[in-house]
Amino acid sequence: MYPTAVHEAYRAELAAIREKGIFKEERYLHSPQAADIKVEYPCGAPLKEVINLCSNNYLGLSSHPAVVAAAHEALDARGYGMSSVRFICGTQDLHKQLERKLTEFLGTEDTILFPSCMDANGGVFEAVLNDQDVMIADRLVHASIVDGMRLCKAMQDTFKHADMKHLEQKLQEHQDKRVRLIITDGVFSMDGDLAPLDQMCALAEKYNALVFVDDSHSTGFMGKTGRGTHEHCGVFGKIDIITTTLGKALGGASGGCVSGRKEIVELCRQRARPYLFSNAVPPPIAGAALKVLEILNETTERRDKLEANTKFWRQALPEAGFVIKDGDSPIVPIMLFNAKLSQDVSRDLYQEGIYAVGFFFPVVAAGQARIRTQMSADHNIPMLTRAVEALKKVGAKHGILGLDKKGIIEKFGQ
Ligand SMILES: *Cc1c(COP(=O)(O)O)cnc(C)c1O
């Protein structure tokens, strides 16, 4: 019988989500992922060409002709799918090549591919830690790390975001454990700030701990040659476990990996459940990812352009009268503090041809609502100049230009 009381209860839950204003609506792209896209929003509305400020396509490689061609080539040479997990009959030469190239790029000893970074984080902790160990995580780590930790029997603890004093205290507290694993994101996706990896590595040495970094928002462009946060922070080659995604800067399709000490990677091959029980990365993705790494090894042109765009953007926004979060990464949050204001500004920006999404509680802390903007190597200065003009127009409409945090909160509430 349908609907039953259960379905009614689900409907009520959905209605409550809508009522709270946190129902997630999807926008339909009618074009490839790029700096300028054609969007249908809301569903059924006429298509609109907008400047995209909210993808993770940091290097502009998602639709790059050479990457697309490499995917075609692998598709022709090695087929569409593997119809197997890696350890039964799902490992191709392409997978092994890609693991080797990622190892070289990240400066580690070995690498194991996963269907996604979510899966890498879901499998790695359980594979290498047991109930004699402790995981000490930054309080703002990505949801997939939180889930991975939940699947693991090691004790869980946290330290205040990027607070090295607090981390040190925790390391002292847990000296009786077999393994102390410090866990952090490299670049934090909501604030765009970086983990102080140099200090973390120093603490790890002092207290005999291991360091885990999820560098999904960093691999390919942070650091002089784009290796990641570890290169940026001067600790290249010193991180015990790096997880990262192929789904952002590295072509943006899907796939992730755990990279690090060879014993750790080997244990993941033996025990990590998303590796053992989920399908191998499809050949076109492996082939395209190899091409991406080839491009990045040949030239730093794209990460250099991304850096220049980021510099322009981080200077232009405060000059235009907005409050941003300082930092070095291409993630640049425009702080609005008030949830409704963030939604209103996002909607008005869309009308002006700018696609940027507003985030508010529970995605970010209460009272910390914002528009998150992200730079790409695919943007250019004329495009970004147009975006700043649109932001100024919308900012003026809401009377927020030149207001600091206090001013905005006085006017709109938190
Ligand atoms: C995006 C992201 C992931 C998930 O990556 P997928 O490959 O899409 O599963 C994991 N961790 C962090 C920090 C991320 O930003």
Side-chain angles (χ1 to χ4, degrees):
M1 270 294 226
Y2 175 83
T4 66
V6 173
H7 306 105
E8 296 296 350
Y10 290 152
R11 285 179 199 179
E13 279 179 41
L14 285 164
I17 293 172
R18 278 182 203 278
E19 211 155 288
K20 276 195 208 150
I22 54 174
F23 193 91
K24 294 179 220 23
E25 303 268 7
E26 295 181 354
R27 288 95 164 149
Y28 307 154
L29 272 66
H30 289 249
S31 60
Q33 185 62 274
D36 42 5
I37 47 176
K38 233 183 254 164
V39 180
E40 173 189 342
Y41 180 70
C43 175
L47 300 189
K48 199 167 163 67
E49 304 224 3
V50 293
I51 297 174
N52 185 0
L53 294 181
C54 56
S55 88
N56 302 314
N57 185 19
Y58 295 111
L59 294 172
L61 292 171
S62 304
S63 312
H64 187 280
V67 176
V68 174
H72 276 295
E73 218 172 279
L75 182 64
D76 292 338
R78 294 288 183 277
Y80 171 63
M82 289 313 301
S83 303
S84 170
V85 298
R86 285 284 299 274
F87 83 96
I88 298 180
C89 60
T91 300
Q92 283 179 333
D93 53 345
L94 288 182
H95 295 112
K96 294 316 289 181
Q97 281 170 34
L98 180 54
E99 287 174 341
R100 263 198 303 278
K101 289 292 176 186
L102 281 167
T103 301
E104 261 173 54
F105 190 79
L106 296 171
T108 52
E109 288 181 1
D110 199 1
T111 299
I112 170 176
L113 290 170
F114 280 81
S116 68
C117 188
M118 173 107 194
D119 284 328
N121 290 338
V124 61
F125 301 113
E126 190 190 18
V128 301
L129 301 176
N130 65 34
D131 59 8
Q132 300 161 48
D133 307 331
V134 63
M135 305 175 278
I136 312 173
D138 186 290
R139 288 189 184 159
L140 293 188
V141 291
H142 191 260
S144 56
I145 293 177
V146 174
D147 286 3
M149 288 170 64
R150 280 203 285 221
L151 293 170
C152 173
K153 291 202 171 60
M155 182 182 175
Q156 291 190 33
D157 205 347
T158 61
F159 60 96
K160 290 180 203 150
H161 178 53
D163 185 333
M164 293 300 100
K165 280 230 156 52
H166 198 209
L167 171 60
E168 179 159 20
Q169 201 181 310
K170 295 292 184 180
L171 287 166
Q172 288 166 349
E173 246 173 64
H174 293 299
Q175 280 302 300
D176 59 326
K177 294 288 192 287
R178 183 189 72 139
V179 179
R180 284 156 293 285
L181 181 61
I182 302 169
I183 300 172
T184 185
D185 290 11
V187 169
F188 287 84
S189 62
M190 284 299 143
D191 288 334
D193 60 331
L194 274 68
L197 290 188
D198 45 346
Q199 297 173 55
M200 276 181 186
C201 287
L203 284 175
E205 194 154 328
K206 186 169 171 191
Y207 294 99
N208 187 24
L210 301 180
V211 179
F212 167 106
V213 180
D214 180 339
D215 233 2
S216 290
H217 279 285
S218 168
T219 302
F221 54 93
M222 291 307 293
K224 277 265 165 295
T225 63
R227 308 302 159 120
T229 316
H230 56 335
E231 185 186 21
H232 184 95
C233 295
V235 288
F236 192 71
K238 295 197 175 153
I239 306 297
D240 299 282
I241 308 176
I242 297 172
T243 63
T244 192
T245 182
L246 304 176
K248 292 190 169 97
L250 303 185
S254 69
C257 68
V258 172
S259 196
R261 297 281 169 217
K262 55 185 185 301
E263 298 82 1
I264 287 171
V265 170
E266 203 52 51
L267 272 179
C268 285
R269 278 193 212 287
Q270 300 306 313
R271 290 191 190 144
R273 295 170 68 86
Y275 183 80
L276 296 175
F277 299 112
S278 189
N279 213 22
V281 171
I285 292 179
L290 277 165
K291 175 55 76 176
V292 166
L293 292 176
E294 190 187 312
I295 294 172
L296 300 191
N297 282 325
E298 261 166 25
T299 166
T300 58
E301 203 177 298
R302 288 188 167 261
R303 60 92 42 214
D304 296 345
K305 179 151 180 238
L306 173 62
E307 189 173 62
N309 286 343
T310 300
K311 205 168 156 210
F312 172 86
W313 194 242
R314 283 188 173 278
Q315 187 172 338
L317 290 180
E319 275 175 16
F322 292 99
V323 180
I324 64 168
K325 286 243 178 200
D326 286 335
D328 291 322
S329 84
I331 299 172
V332 186
I334 301 175
M335 299 307 295
L336 297 170
F337 308 102
N338 175 286
K340 179 166 185 302
L341 181 63
S342 72
Q343 296 311 98
D344 292 346
V345 168
S346 171
R347 202 183 42 242
D348 289 346
L349 282 173
Y350 186 76
Q351 288 314 314
E352 297 297 327
I354 307 298
Y355 184 17
V357 173
F359 290 99
F360 49 94
F361 183 78
V363 179
V364 295
Q368 291 289 309
R370 67 195 63 186
I371 301 272
R372 181 179 68 172
T373 63
Q374 291 167 281
M375 289 295 99
S376 166
D378 246 4
H379 291 125
N380 54 49
I381 300 300
M383 209 180 227
L384 294 177
T385 304
R386 263 190 288 141
V388 172
E389 288 312 310
L391 270 157
K392 275 202 229 173
K393 187 171 166 193
V394 173
K397 175 182 163 188
H398 292 277
I400 53 176
L401 294 183
L403 293 185
D404 60 3
K405 175 177 179 179
K406 193 160 158 273
I408 297 177
I409 292 170
E410 268 170 24
K411 192 161 175 170
F412 296 90
Q414 203 160 6

mmCIF file of all heavy atoms in Angstrom, residues 116-118 121 142 144 185 214 216-217 245 248 255, ligand 1:
data_model
loop_
_atom_site.group_PDB
_atom_site.id
_atom_site.type_symbol
_atom_site.label_atom_id
_atom_site.label_comp_id
_atom_site.label_asym_id
_atom_site.label_seq_id
_atom_site.Cartn_x
_atom_site.Cartn_y
_atom_site.Cartn_z
ATOM 1 N N SER A 116 36.920 7.171 -5.730
ATOM 2 C CA SER A 116 36.788 8.596 -5.421
ATOM 3 C C SER A 116 37.631 8.897 -4.190
ATOM 4 O O SER A 116 38.077 7.973 -3.502
ATOM 5 C CB SER A 116 35.324 8.952 -5.127
ATOM 6 O OG SER A 116 34.936 8.344 -3.905
ATOM 7 N N CYS A 117 37.811 10.178 -3.873
ATOM 8 C CA CYS A 117 38.517 10.509 -2.632
ATOM 9 C C CYS A 117 37.640 10.221 -1.421
ATOM 10 O O CYS A 117 38.117 9.890 -0.353
ATOM 11 C CB CYS A 117 38.984 11.956 -2.638
ATOM 12 S SG CYS A 117 40.060 12.333 -1.243
ATOM 13 N N MET A 118 36.341 10.361 -1.612
ATOM 14 C CA MET A 118 35.402 9.958 -0.548
ATOM 15 C C MET A 118 35.677 8.496 -0.160
ATOM 16 O O MET A 118 35.699 8.146 1.019
ATOM 17 C CB MET A 118 33.974 10.117 -1.081
ATOM 18 C CG MET A 118 32.902 9.575 -0.162
ATOM 19 S SD MET A 118 32.010 10.909 0.615
ATOM 20 C CE MET A 118 31.158 10.026 1.907
ATOM 21 N N ASN A 121 39.117 8.138 1.650
ATOM 22 C CA ASN A 121 38.985 8.496 3.067
ATOM 23 C C ASN A 121 38.127 7.489 3.819
ATOM 24 O O ASN A 121 38.290 7.279 5.012
ATOM 25 C CB ASN A 121 38.389 9.901 3.205
ATOM 26 C CG ASN A 121 39.361 10.981 2.753
ATOM 27 O OD1 ASN A 121 40.563 10.764 2.727
ATOM 28 N ND2 ASN A 121 38.826 12.134 2.385
ATOM 29 N N HIS A 142 36.981 17.571 6.159
ATOM 30 C CA HIS A 142 35.920 17.245 5.208
ATOM 31 C C HIS A 142 35.043 16.094 5.714
ATOM 32 O O HIS A 142 35.503 15.192 6.413
ATOM 33 C CB HIS A 142 36.572 16.849 3.879
ATOM 34 C CG HIS A 142 35.624 16.728 2.734
ATOM 35 N ND1 HIS A 142 35.138 15.517 2.298
ATOM 36 C CD2 HIS A 142 35.071 17.672 1.932
ATOM 37 C CE1 HIS A 142 34.341 15.717 1.254
ATOM 38 N NE2 HIS A 142 34.279 17.024 1.021
ATOM 39 N N SER A 144 33.959 13.489 4.352
ATOM 40 C CA SER A 144 34.370 12.128 4.011
ATOM 41 C C SER A 144 35.408 11.588 4.998
ATOM 42 O O SER A 144 35.486 10.383 5.233
ATOM 43 C CB SER A 144 34.934 12.092 2.589
ATOM 44 O OG SER A 144 36.002 13.002 2.446
ATOM 45 N N ASP A 185 42.798 18.558 6.485
ATOM 46 C CA ASP A 185 42.729 18.940 5.082
ATOM 47 C C ASP A 185 43.970 19.797 4.790
ATOM 48 O O ASP A 185 44.482 20.453 5.702
ATOM 49 C CB ASP A 185 41.487 19.816 4.794
ATOM 50 C CG ASP A 185 40.168 19.048 4.877
ATOM 51 O OD1 ASP A 185 40.169 17.896 5.350
ATOM 52 O OD2 ASP A 185 39.133 19.615 4.467
ATOM 53 N N ASP A 214 44.471 15.473 3.526
ATOM 54 C CA ASP A 214 43.591 15.377 2.363
ATOM 55 C C ASP A 214 43.817 16.641 1.537
ATOM 56 O O ASP A 214 43.440 17.735 1.948
ATOM 57 C CB ASP A 214 42.131 15.270 2.827
ATOM 58 C CG ASP A 214 41.162 15.170 1.640
ATOM 59 O OD1 ASP A 214 41.530 15.573 0.528
ATOM 60 O OD2 ASP A 214 40.027 14.705 1.857
ATOM 61 N N SER A 216 42.689 17.450 -1.529
ATOM 62 C CA SER A 216 41.773 17.526 -2.670
ATOM 63 C C SER A 216 41.663 18.937 -3.254
ATOM 64 O O SER A 216 41.545 19.099 -4.472
ATOM 65 C CB SER A 216 40.374 17.054 -2.252
ATOM 66 O OG SER A 216 40.375 15.676 -2.015
ATOM 67 N N HIS A 217 41.680 19.966 -2.393
ATOM 68 C CA HIS A 217 41.551 21.347 -2.874
ATOM 69 C C HIS A 217 42.914 21.993 -3.087
ATOM 70 O O HIS A 217 43.065 23.204 -2.905
ATOM 71 C CB HIS A 217 40.740 22.183 -1.889
ATOM 72 C CG HIS A 217 39.258 21.999 -2.028
ATOM 73 N ND1 HIS A 217 38.520 22.535 -3.057
ATOM 74 C CD2 HIS A 217 38.394 21.296 -1.272
ATOM 75 C CE1 HIS A 217 37.252 22.195 -2.929
ATOM 76 N NE2 HIS A 217 37.147 21.432 -1.855
ATOM 77 N N THR A 245 41.912 13.866 -4.811
ATOM 78 C CA THR A 245 40.891 13.502 -5.789
ATOM 79 C C THR A 245 41.356 13.812 -7.208
ATOM 80 O O THR A 245 42.140 14.741 -7.427
ATOM 81 C CB THR A 245 39.579 14.266 -5.503
ATOM 82 O OG1 THR A 245 38.590 13.859 -6.447
ATOM 83 C CG2 THR A 245 39.751 15.768 -5.611
ATOM 84 N N LYS A 248 38.753 17.223 -9.065
ATOM 85 C CA LYS A 248 38.773 18.688 -8.973
ATOM 86 C C LYS A 248 39.765 19.223 -10.003
ATOM 87 O O LYS A 248 39.449 19.237 -11.192
ATOM 88 C CB LYS A 248 39.077 19.103 -7.538
ATOM 89 C CG LYS A 248 37.919 18.734 -6.584
ATOM 90 C CD LYS A 248 38.046 19.326 -5.195
ATOM 91 C CE LYS A 248 36.763 19.155 -4.402
ATOM 92 N NZ LYS A 248 36.771 17.986 -3.505
ATOM 93 N N GLY A 255 37.481 9.726 -9.280
ATOM 94 C CA GLY A 255 38.642 8.942 -8.882
ATOM 95 C C GLY A 255 39.395 9.662 -7.790
ATOM 96 O O GLY A 255 39.359 10.892 -7.690
HETATM 97 C C1 LIG B 1 35.928 17.008 -2.835
HETATM 98 C C2 LIG B 1 36.586 16.427 -1.653
HETATM 99 C C3 LIG B 1 36.548 15.060 -1.399
HETATM 100 C C4 LIG B 1 35.743 14.120 -2.239
HETATM 101 O O1 LIG B 1 36.364 13.865 -3.464
HETATM 102 P P1 LIG B 1 35.640 12.899 -4.504
HETATM 103 O O2 LIG B 1 36.752 12.351 -5.296
HETATM 104 O O3 LIG B 1 34.698 13.742 -5.275
HETATM 105 O O4 LIG B 1 34.941 11.857 -3.701
HETATM 106 C C5 LIG B 1 37.244 14.575 -0.309
HETATM 107 N N1 LIG B 1 37.916 15.398 0.515
HETATM 108 C C6 LIG B 1 37.970 16.715 0.315
HETATM 109 C C7 LIG B 1 38.740 17.585 1.240
HETATM 110 C C8 LIG B 1 37.292 17.272 -0.764
HETATM 111 O O5 LIG B 1 37.300 18.594 -0.943
#
